């Protein structure tokens, strides 16, 4: 195939303790470490390996997000992607709108494969890949832990609840990646510097002419309830007493 | 009689006499020191500590204070007589005050270091002391040994984090010196006496600590360098250009790296090709991410660094630190080892490592030097593993001979035979040998003045 399109979402680094903004309208991201969504980084690593095996000739990384998402795209370019596209949107984009944006890019770029993380660790929606496959009218293989490309066929091992499922799909297709697929590479400083010169195209989301779905609105953001400290009970009788004290039995 | 008295003072939760339950208190994790004690008392307050000290002093019984028992020099392990009272500060683990506006907090001695860090982070402040044992070591022990760790290059050792102390003296008096002042010239600065004294002058029961603004996002990099001297030169250049942004600068030898990759699960190679030496670098990038990249590129171009990998997320940062923090554990799996926690002037680190390795190989053929440490502050963990086929116990018998060899070279460079682990029971002879009579006489005078009956951790330090 010629091209692989990879989605890279800018998210709060997985190791940061997330806090609700003081105005209650979202998550605090000011001064917070941001990274590529880990599942997306795995998708990019896989795309690069497919290219390095000679089964694709170009890897394009795409992000939908604020101007700062250029940082994540530059990191993707430093890992080895050939060029980057930022669809700039100051506002968060829901999965269906995101899928539509990708469909528009698919129509323009005609990739043989779209590789996406199975979900982004910010909203945990796990929807964009499936929706894209549906509106594109192409096969999908989700939760991939192994991908083997032979010509226009992909053999994909999927991590499902009952174990591992191996399926074969025709390309072009959407594949979403799971954690065990690969371990993304480190980036060396010289590659980071080279990546600054690779093409990065920025398009305001409004210019795409894509209909933005607004199927839902955020009502409120609340931090999880603080857990109260546990108590040690001596024995079963103590447990029963403690539960009775709390009026639970 | 004394035991009953002590049990009454500390109450039911505050003592252990069952031999099996005592065991974890009586030996160090590296298994080098074993002691005996009839009782471990765990007072719940400074008042109880004071009462314990008074009771012990009255009966002429000596006391060994202990924190998280993560020490390496036997400082918190009682002697073999079984007559000493072990006093664990573990139950004194409250944070008494936390004042973000004042950039200070007051904590009890038994607080685990990681909990202190977390409490500060909770109010958007940094408590910078950080070391491998931070998940179990306690702040009282950190101060009593003047611990160092990985952030010393920017923030200094444990001593520099202390604004004030509360100490139970040998006569059972409680000195409340929990001031949080930055400037205070009122007489002798007696808190400094207790820091690094390893419990031989009194028992630290609480401390007021200095907090810092949280640094911006931390960037972590692994740098391949040709030799230790290149690491020293690299440090000079980067610190000069980036000043306080450099938070950590850790040297790792290829051998240390290989042992970690071989023995520690979930570690992976960072560079495809091995380099003889590596530096783990951490800097804060409040506004200067680009500047850091630019400076690092320059050091590659000038030949000081061979290659640089920048962590692109916190997972990779943790992977890099895991390598650094796993060296001791990995070295353990390579057989017996002898460790030398030494420091030399920062500029001399490169020369010292080369000279010491040469001397070791001449005298102990086949021994494997595993050098690593905090180049940014001149602290080298100059550890030596036994030759592959050698007999472990025979190798360990050479402890003193090897230590003398290393310490003599350290002395030549104007260094210290004890950088951050303290003296404990392990290095008392070295203290006498490498410090002047004048210095020792002053130490003895201080000890005599504060603990005339020698009840505070006797047999340690002096």
């Amino acid at each position: 195939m010629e091209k692989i399109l990879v989605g890279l979402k800018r998210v709060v680094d997985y190791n940061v303790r997330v806090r609700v903004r003081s105005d209650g309208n979202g998550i605090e991201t000011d001064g917070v470490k941001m990274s590529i969504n880990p599942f997306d980084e795995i998708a990019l690593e896989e795309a690069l390996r497919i290219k390095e095996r000679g089964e694709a000739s170009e890897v394009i990384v795409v992000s939908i997000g604020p101007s700062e998402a250029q940082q994540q795209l530059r990191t993707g370019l430093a890992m080895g992607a050939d060029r980057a596209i930022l669809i700039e949107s100051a506002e968060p984009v829901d999965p269906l709108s995101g899928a539509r944006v990708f469909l528009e890019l698919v129509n323009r770029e005609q990739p043989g494969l779209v590789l996406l993380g199975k979900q982004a660790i910010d909203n945990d929606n796990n929807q964009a890949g499936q929706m894209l496959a549906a509106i594109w009218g192409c096969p999908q293989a989700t939760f991939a832990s192994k991908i083997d490309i032979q010509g226009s066929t992909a053999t994909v091992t999927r991590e499902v609840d009952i174990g591992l499922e191996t399926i074969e799909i025709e390309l072009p297709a959407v594949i979403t990646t799971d954690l065990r697929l690969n371990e993304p590479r480190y980036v060396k400083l010289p590659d980071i510097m080279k990546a600054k010169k690779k093409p990065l195209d920025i398009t305001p989301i409004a210019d795409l002419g894509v209909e933005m779905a607004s199927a839902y609105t955020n009502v409120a953001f609340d931090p999880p309830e603080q857990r109260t400290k546990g108590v040690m009970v001596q024995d079963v009788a103590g447990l029963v007493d403690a539960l009775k004290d709390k009026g639970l039995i | 009689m004394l035991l009953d008295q002590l049990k009454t003072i500390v109450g039911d939760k505050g003592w252990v006499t069952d031999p099996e339950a005592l065991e974890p208190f009586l030996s160090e994790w590296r298994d080098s020191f074993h002691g005996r004690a009839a009782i471990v008392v765990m007072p719940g307050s400074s008042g109880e500590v004071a009462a314990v000290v008074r009771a012990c002093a009255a009966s002429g019984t000596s006391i060994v204070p202990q924190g998280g028992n993560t020490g390496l020099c036997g400082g918190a392990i009682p002697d073999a007589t079984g007559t000493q009272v072990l006093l664990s500060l573990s139950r004194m683990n409250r944070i008494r005050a936390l004042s973000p506006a004042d950039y200070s907090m007051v904590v009890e001695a038994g607080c685990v270091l990681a909990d202190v860090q977390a409490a500060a982070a909770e109010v958007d402040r940094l408590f910078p002391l950080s070391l491998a044992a931070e998940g179990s070591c306690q702040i009282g022990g950190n101060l009593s040994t003047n611990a160092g760790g990985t952030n010393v290059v920017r923030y200094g050792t444990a001593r520099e984090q202390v604004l004030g102390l509360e100490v139970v003296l040998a006569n059972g008096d409680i000195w409340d010196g929990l001031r949080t002042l930055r400037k205070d010239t009122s007489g002798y600065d007696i808190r400094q006496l207790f820091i690094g004294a390893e419990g031989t002058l009194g028992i630290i029961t609480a401390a007021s600590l200095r907090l810092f603004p949280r640094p911006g996002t931390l960037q972590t990099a692994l740098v391949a360098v040709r030799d230790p001297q290149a690491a020293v030169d690299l440090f000079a250049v980067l610190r000069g250009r980036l000043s306080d942004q450099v938070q950590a600068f850790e040297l790792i030898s290829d051998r240390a790296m290989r042992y970690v990759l071989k023995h520690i699960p979930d570690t992976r190679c960072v560079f495809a090709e091995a380099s003889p030496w590596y530096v783990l670098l951490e800097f804060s990038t409040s506004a200067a991410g680009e500047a850091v990249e630019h400076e690092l590129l320059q050091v590659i171009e000038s030949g000081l660094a061979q290659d640089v990998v920048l962590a692109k997320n916190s997972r990779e940062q943790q992977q890099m630190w895991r390598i650094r923090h796993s060296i001791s554990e990995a070295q353990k799996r390579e057989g017996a080892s002898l460790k030398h926690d030494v420091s030399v002037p920062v500029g001399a680190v490169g020369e010292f490592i080369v000279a010491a390795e040469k001397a070791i190989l001449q005298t102990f053929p086949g021994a494997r030097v595993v050098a690593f440490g905090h180049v940014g502050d001149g602290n080298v963990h100059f550890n030596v593993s036994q030759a592959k086929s050698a007999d472990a116990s025979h190798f360990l018998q050479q402890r003193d001979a090897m230590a003398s060899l290393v310490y003599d070279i350290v002395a030549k460079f104007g260094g210290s035979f004890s950088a951050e682990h303290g003296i404990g029971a392990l290095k008392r002879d070295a203290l006498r040998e490498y410090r002047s009579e004048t210095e020792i006489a002053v130490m003895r005078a201080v000890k005599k003045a504060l603990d005339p009956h020698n009840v505070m951790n006797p047999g340690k330090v002096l």
Side-chain angles (χ1 to χ4, degrees):
Chain A
M1 82 191 92
E2 205 188 326
K3 297 175 186 176
I4 303 177
L5 213 57
V6 179
L8 296 186
K9 189 171 187 187
R10 174 185 168 89
V11 298
V12 172
D13 189 280
Y14 89 101
N15 201 34
V16 170
R17 202 162 142 201
V18 172
R19 291 172 201 234
V20 175
R21 251 173 22 206
S22 52
D23 64 10
N25 266 336
I27 300 303
E28 188 60 75
T29 55
D30 257 14
V32 168
K33 188 177 180 69
M34 305 294 284
S35 301
I36 298 175
N37 174 39
F39 293 103
D40 297 348
E41 200 182 325
I42 290 167
L44 173 55
E45 176 64 35
E46 196 63 19
L48 295 172
R49 290 184 190 185
I50 292 169
K51 185 188 159 187
E52 283 158 5
R53 287 197 296 263
E55 285 150 3
S57 49
E58 190 183 26
V59 174
I60 308 162
V61 284
V62 177
S63 192
I64 309 171
S67 173
E68 293 80 10
Q70 288 178 67
Q71 290 165 13
Q72 281 63 45
L73 290 172
R74 289 285 174 209
T75 302
L77 293 170
M79 284 175 70
D82 298 288
R83 63 189 167 94
I85 300 170
L86 172 62
I87 303 302
E88 195 174 339
S89 168
E91 295 303 313
V93 171
D94 66 279
L96 180 55
S97 305
R100 286 174 179 160
V101 167
F102 264 90
L103 181 61
E104 177 62 26
L105 294 176
V106 161
N107 290 334
R108 291 182 188 186
E109 299 284 350
Q110 299 293 319
L113 176 62
V114 177
L115 269 169
L116 303 172
K118 71 169 182 178
Q119 69 198 72
I121 61 167
D122 49 6
N123 290 330
D124 280 343
N125 281 322
N126 193 336
Q127 294 173 8
Q130 294 88 328
M131 287 176 170
L132 173 61
I135 59 178
W136 185 13
C138 279
Q140 59 177 295
T142 50
F143 318 136
S145 64
K146 189 165 183 289
I147 300 174
D148 184 28
I149 309 267
Q150 296 288 340
S152 64
T153 309
T155 307
V156 179
T157 303
R158 306 178 60 232
E159 298 208 349
V160 291
D161 287 347
I162 49 164
L164 298 177
E165 178 187 56
T166 302
I167 61 170
E168 223 176 67
I169 53 171
E170 283 300 306
L171 301 178
V174 178
I175 300 179
T176 72
T177 55
D178 217 323
L179 274 187
R180 270 170 286 270
L181 179 58
N182 60 48
E183 176 122 45
R185 66 195 62 191
Y186 288 108
V187 295
K188 293 183 170 192
L189 185 70
D191 294 327
I192 294 174
M193 303 317 269
K194 273 181 226 153
K196 294 186 196 294
K197 300 198 177 90
K198 289 184 180 177
L200 193 166
D201 181 69
I202 302 175
T203 305
I205 195 162
D207 292 5
L208 279 190
V210 168
E211 187 198 341
M212 289 290 124
S214 51
Y216 65 84
T217 48
N218 287 320
V219 178
F221 281 88
D222 290 302
E225 216 170 287
Q226 287 257 337
R227 283 179 63 174
T228 49
K229 225 177 173 176
V231 287
M232 299 294 284
V233 291
Q234 292 296 330
D235 45 28
V236 174
L239 177 64
V240 170
D241 286 347
L243 290 172
K244 272 184 183 156
D245 273 357
K246 288 189 173 293
L248 294 171
I249 52 172
Chain B
M1 162 78 179
L2 175 67
L3 291 194
D4 292 336
Q5 228 177 322
L6 295 177
K7 287 175 184 175
T8 311
I9 293 167
V10 293
D12 285 347
K13 282 184 189 165
W15 55 271
V16 176
T17 50
D18 174 49
E20 212 167 295
L22 280 177
E23 201 42 48
F25 294 93
L26 300 179
S27 57
E28 279 188 357
W29 67 278
R30 225 184 244 164
D31 266 0
S32 320
F33 292 91
H34 293 275
R36 288 175 58 217
I39 189 168
V40 174
V41 290
M42 296 175 285
S45 68
S46 312
E48 286 182 17
V49 174
V52 167
V53 170
R54 274 194 300 272
C56 289
S59 72
T61 306
S62 59
I63 302 167
V64 180
Q66 186 179 89
N69 195 15
T70 61
L72 299 166
C73 300
I77 300 298
D79 63 22
T81 62
T83 59
Q84 296 187 302
V85 168
L86 186 75
L87 189 152
S88 163
L89 280 307
S90 306
R91 281 179 65 224
M92 290 191 61
N93 59 359
R94 289 179 311 139
I95 288 167
R96 291 195 194 161
L98 183 55
S99 170
D102 196 30
Y103 283 82
S104 69
M105 68 196 290
V106 178
V107 305
E108 291 185 339
C111 286
V112 171
L113 175 56
D115 294 341
V116 174
Q117 296 164 345
E122 198 63 38
V123 293
D124 205 27
R125 295 291 179 262
L126 173 76
F127 181 64
L129 190 66
S130 176
L131 42 105
E134 64 196 22
S136 38
C137 66
Q138 295 169 13
I139 201 75
N142 294 144
L143 301 186
S144 291
T145 54
N146 187 20
T150 52
N151 276 340
V152 173
V153 56
R154 181 164 179 187
Y155 298 101
T157 60
R159 181 183 303 281
E160 282 148 287
Q161 320 309 327
V162 179
L163 296 170
L165 289 181
E166 179 188 82
V167 180
V168 172
L169 304 176
N171 62 4
D173 283 355
I174 301 175
W175 169 52
D176 178 359
L178 288 174
R179 297 185 281 265
T180 57
L181 306 172
R182 312 286 149 151
K183 288 186 174 180
D184 178 11
T185 53
S186 50
Y188 298 153
D189 188 357
I190 58 176
R191 87 195 124 149
Q192 302 296 357
L193 286 176
F194 299 100
I195 302 169
E198 303 184 34
T200 59
L201 301 178
I203 299 171
I204 296 174
T205 47
S208 42
L209 302 173
R210 181 196 298 271
L211 300 179
F212 291 83
R214 282 228 276 179
T217 311
L218 288 181
Q219 281 252 46
T220 310
L222 200 71
V223 184
V225 293
R226 216 175 289 128
D227 51 39
Q229 188 58 45
V232 171
D233 295 342
L234 181 69
F235 175 69
V237 168
L238 287 180
R239 186 144 199 236
R241 298 212 188 119
L242 299 170
S243 119
D244 265 358
Q245 286 176 7
V246 178
Q247 299 253 127
F249 198 97
E250 302 282 312
L251 183 67
I252 301 169
S253 69
D254 178 49
R255 181 176 277 142
M257 177 72 84
R258 276 188 284 120
Y259 290 172
V260 168
L261 295 176
K262 180 173 159 196
H263 295 294
I264 307 296
D266 299 324
T267 53
R268 67 174 172 138
C269 199
V270 176
F271 293 101
E273 281 173 40
S275 162
W277 293 87
Y278 304 91
V279 168
L280 177 61
L281 241 186
E282 192 154 77
F283 30 80
S284 61
T285 55
S286 31
E290 298 256 327
V292 166
E293 286 173 7
H294 179 75
E295 294 302 341
L296 287 175
L297 191 68
Q298 284 211 329
V299 296
I300 294 180
E301 282 166 358
S302 70
L304 264 188
Q306 306 305 304
D307 211 342
V308 177
V309 164
L310 268 175
K312 57 180 157 2
N313 52 43
S314 60
R315 181 160 172 271
E316 292 183 356
Q317 288 179 309
Q318 287 170 342
Q319 287 172 337
M320 288 180 183
W321 276 107
R322 187 170 158 78
I323 292 172
R324 168 63 186 82
H325 284 318
S326 304
I327 296 174
S328 290
E329 184 60 36
Q331 202 186 357
K332 217 172 167 180
R333 316 255 180 102
E334 280 289 324
S337 64
L338 292 169
K339 319 221 165 191
H340 312 93
D341 160 47
V342 301
S343 64
V344 292
V346 174
V349 167
E351 277 179 80
F352 163 73
I353 290 177
V354 171
E357 176 151 20
K358 198 172 145 201
I360 289 284
L361 291 180
Q362 269 169 8
T363 315
F364 305 94
R368 295 168 292 165
V369 171
V370 180
F372 61 98
H374 322 292
V375 170
D377 56 41
N379 182 188
V380 179
H381 295 296
F382 191 83
N383 298 347
V384 184
S385 284
Q386 64 177 86
K388 268 192 180 140
S389 49
D391 172 60
S393 62
H394 176 250
F395 176 76
L396 290 175
Q397 279 161 20
Q398 297 168 311
R399 178 188 301 273
D400 293 342
M402 187 180 288
S404 297
L405 184 67
V406 175
Y407 296 163
D408 282 350
I409 299 169
V410 168
K412 265 186 220 152
F413 284 98
S416 169
F417 62 92
S418 172
E420 63 174 359
H421 294 166
I423 302 295
L426 179 67
K427 292 186 174 178
R428 292 165 68 205
D429 294 342
L431 183 69
R432 276 195 294 274
E433 189 173 342
Y434 294 99
R435 289 296 168 256
S436 69
E437 277 177 33
T438 309
E439 205 167 330
I440 300 285
V442 172
M443 291 188 202
R444 285 195 193 286
V446 170
K447 169 75 175 170
K448 203 158 185 193
L450 286 174
D451 181 23
H453 305 297
N454 204 24
V455 291
M456 292 303 201
N457 211 5
K460 311 293 161 58
V461 185
L462 286 173

